[in-house]
Every structure is written in structure tokens, then in C-alpha cells.
Amino acid sequence: MKINVNELKNHVDEEIVFSGFVDAIRDKKWVMFVILRDATGKVQMTIEKSEEANKELLDIMSELTVESTIRVTGKVLSNEAVKLGGLEIIPSKIEVTSKALPLPFDFNNLDGVNIDTRMDYKWLDMRNRRNTLIRQVESCMTEGMRRYLYENHFTEIHSPKLIGAASESGSDVFEVKYFDGVAYLAQSPQFYKQMALAGGLDRVFEVGPVFRAENSNTNRHATEFTGFDLEFAYIDSYEDVMDLEEDLLIAGLTAVKEKYGEEIKEVFNTEVVIPTKPFPRIRLKDLYQELHDRYQFDIPTEDVGDMNAEAEKLTFKLAQEKYNSEFMFVVDYAATKRPFYHMRDSEGKLQGYDLIWRGMEITSGAQREHRYDELVKNAQEKGLGKDVEFYLQFFKYGCPPHGGFGIGLDRITMLLLGLSGIKETQFLFRGPNRLTP
Ligand code: AMO
């Protein structure tokens, strides 16, 4: 097995095999320094020119382009003069495992490189440490949240993405040819995570793709993104759902801070802040008032009962200024603006929320309507007929009270690292004009 750069310190004076990219070649008069790179870091390989035995190695390296990959057999030496971790590899054998053509751009300096070019060559863009770090941080955040859920007896499920009817709003759904008929791409695992509860599992979650046919070119919308969704039973109110989301995010952010906090500060100049509980919670009506009084902002008529991008930005400002918090739950949205499966209380008040973080909505959640008759009424009010008939069946044979939420994982990663947009954040961005690579 290959030894990684971050493990070399445990193998000083040993003969090892190292494989990686050729990051740089510094050909000096008496010595050739080759910087090698793998996913864990960089190391120097030193080839003395005066040694007769090194002639073959020098021949191989002098013909090689940077970004080629090699497999080196050699000895690890400790050498204080070496800037890269005080270690060097003295090779006895070098095999070229792949040869690189000249690169279309310098991934170490992405400043002037167009985002579309970067996306076209995503695998080169990613060789910049900043971009591999994005993936590692997202993975760490997911791991931290998953661990929290496993420890709290959640079961991970995998629901189908090919479905027979729209799962959220009918207008944002992708239709695909399905043999002689049509199918749709799931806009959310919403109906199926609830079905799992009707099936007797009382705590479930899913991390998976979510498809939205939204023809919008903003920094926060993708046509395919990763949803972190969960649902749990026997709650008393949507307050329980918000409580759990607080713990979940704290678990994820703590994992990220422990493992990558320092590097994030160094590379992205951003602090990972672990929030304290409870996150502030505000009614939409009161929020409108605060935004008006403090920032002279009034929600446009078409968005009354809901939020818009500007309101989300100012909500973050308010959260920081008034509550010293980066997070803010907003409750009491208008039922007309929310899905039919959100519960309303006896006065018709919606039992759902959005969570705003660093100026953007990252989550929608709610207590769900689990009473069959009420649910049918809500669906009828929204003019939903045949499409939701299969879903309504789940509530006919006993179903515990429950609630849950869906987090946009890409948005979390973007905000966590202070990135400029979702194109830069996603492993492979999908938008109205992009389906490749
Ligand atoms: P909602 O539609 O609000 O709720 O989606 C949940 C979260 O997903 C993220 N998000 C997006 N991210 C990137 N690109 C998009 N086009 C996009 N659309 C949404 C946001 C959002 O908060 N079924 C409910 C969740 C639930 O109630 O459990 C739902 O899908 O961060």
C-alpha cells in the first residue's frame, strides 16, 4: 500500500513506496528537487546529480511534465533544511504511471480563470488545495451529522429518485421518458421519508440527490443538489424539530472545526463558529417589523407571508446585531405560501419554519399533518388531486404525529466556507445551462 504524505513522518529511515502527482520540478546544477503531491499534502524528493546510480532517475525526470504521476521506491530521511515538513524522499526507483499534457490553465492561480472554464476542467480545478478542501469539509460535515443521527437511533433510508408524480410543487419537476410513458425526478424525499414513519420506523434520514427544474441563475440555485433530509415521530410540536436541528448542526460544525478549523481559517480566511442553543426564533410578522424599523426594508406585496433573498440577508444582519447569532429560525409563514403537508393549528397557523444562516435559507421544516381528514382538506385547498392520492393513503391506517426538515447541503458548504456561489461549491454543478462534465 502507498504511504500518504501525512504518514511519512512515521517512516523515517525506512524504505517506502510513494505514489503521487509531480507538483513541481526544480532542476539545479548539482541536484534535482521534485515536489510530489497527494491528497494529504506535498513532499520533496531529492536526486543528487553527482551519484552515478542516479543517472537513470534523472533521465526519467528530465523528460517528465508536471502533473504526471509517478511511483517512487525510496528512503524517507529527516532533513531540517527541507521546508516541506522537514522530510525528503531519496529515490532508488521511479516508475512513470501517467504522463500529463500541458495544462489549459494554472490551477494554483485561479484568480483570472473564468468559472465556466474551471467547471469544464473540474478535475484540474480540484487540484487546487482550496477545492479539494471544499469536498473534504463537506464530507466531514456530513459525517458529523450522520454520526449524531446514528447515535440518536435514526435509520438511514434510500428512496427512489424516479417517481410517478411530483413530490413538491408541480411546476418545478423534471419529466423524463419512461418506456412508453413518463416519470419524474424526485424534488425531495418528502413523501417517502414520511411513508417510512407510517411503516413503523420512527426516526429516519436520507442524504441524496434532489432535482428542481428551476430556471434560475442565482448563486444559490442548482437544478440538482444534495438534500440532507430527516423525519421523526412522536413529536409534540415543530419546536421539537427545531431543537433537533440545532443539535444536528452543532454536531456537524463541531466535527468540521475539530478536523479542519485551522486550515479553513488559513485557506478561506473564515472562522468556523459553533453556535450556542437555542438559536433565536422569530415570527414573520415581528421580523417584518424589525426589518422595517432597523433597515427600512418592506417586503414586496407578492412576497407577503414569505421571505425573499433581500429579507434573508437582512435577517442575518438582525440575528447578528440583536441576538449575536449567525442563525435565526423564522416561523409563522402564511399557509398559502407553504406546502399542504405542513400542519396548521386550530387557528390555521402554520406549524413550520425556515432556518436562515449567514444570509440564506438553508432549511425548511415543519410538523407534518398526519391526520388523514385534515391532510385531504389541505391538499384540496391547494388544488392537488390525483398526484397526491398515493401519498394520502399512508395516513389511513394509523400514523404517528411527526415532523422533519430538509437541509440543502451545498448551501451549508458554501456558507461555511464563505464561497461566492453554488457553482464553485458543488462537486459538479448542474444548472439550466450545464449538464457536463
Ligand atoms: P425546500 O424546498 O425548502 O424544502 O428545500 C430544502 C432546502 O434545500 C435547499 N434548496 C436548494 N439548494 C440548491 N438549489 C436549489 N434549487 C434548492 N432548492 C432548495 C435549501 C432549502 O432550504 N420537503 C421540504 C423539506 C422538509 O420540509 O423536510 C423541501 O424540500 O437549503
Side-chain angles (χ1 to χ4, degrees), residues 43 77 96 144 153 167 225 308 322 418 420:
V43 63
L77 294 188
V96 176
H153 317 295
S167 45
F225 63 94
N308 66 12
K322 185 163 178 184
S420 62

Side-chain angles (χ1 to χ4, degrees), residues 136-180:
Q136 289 165 333
V137 167
E138 187 172 81
S139 167
C140 182
M141 180 81 193
T142 318
E143 185 197 355
M145 295 202 290
R146 263 207 177 95
R147 198 180 323 121
Y148 171 83
L149 294 176
Y150 285 135
E151 281 165 6
N152 285 279
H153 317 295
F154 276 75
T155 302
E156 183 163 7
I157 57 168
H158 306 282
S159 64
K161 303 306 157 206
L162 273 175
I163 55 177
S167 45
E168 292 283 331
S169 95
S171 58
D172 294 340
V173 65
F174 283 114
E175 191 178 297
V176 293
K177 199 166 156 311
Y178 197 70
F179 304 108
D180 292 333

Side-chain angles (χ1 to χ4, degrees), residues 29-69:
K29 192 160 180 204
W30 303 109
V31 65
M32 182 186 270
F33 297 117
V34 179
I35 308 301
L36 301 173
R37 185 184 81 237
D38 70 10
T40 67
K42 294 182 188 181
V43 63
Q44 176 178 302
M45 173 170 80
T46 312
I47 314 174
E48 292 288 347
K49 292 191 174 174
S50 56
E51 302 258 343
E52 191 55 31
N54 283 346
K55 189 171 174 319
E56 198 186 326
L57 305 181
L58 290 163
D59 284 348
I60 294 173
M61 290 312 300
S62 57
E63 283 189 7
L64 207 57
T65 44
V66 287
E67 294 307 304
S68 297
T69 62

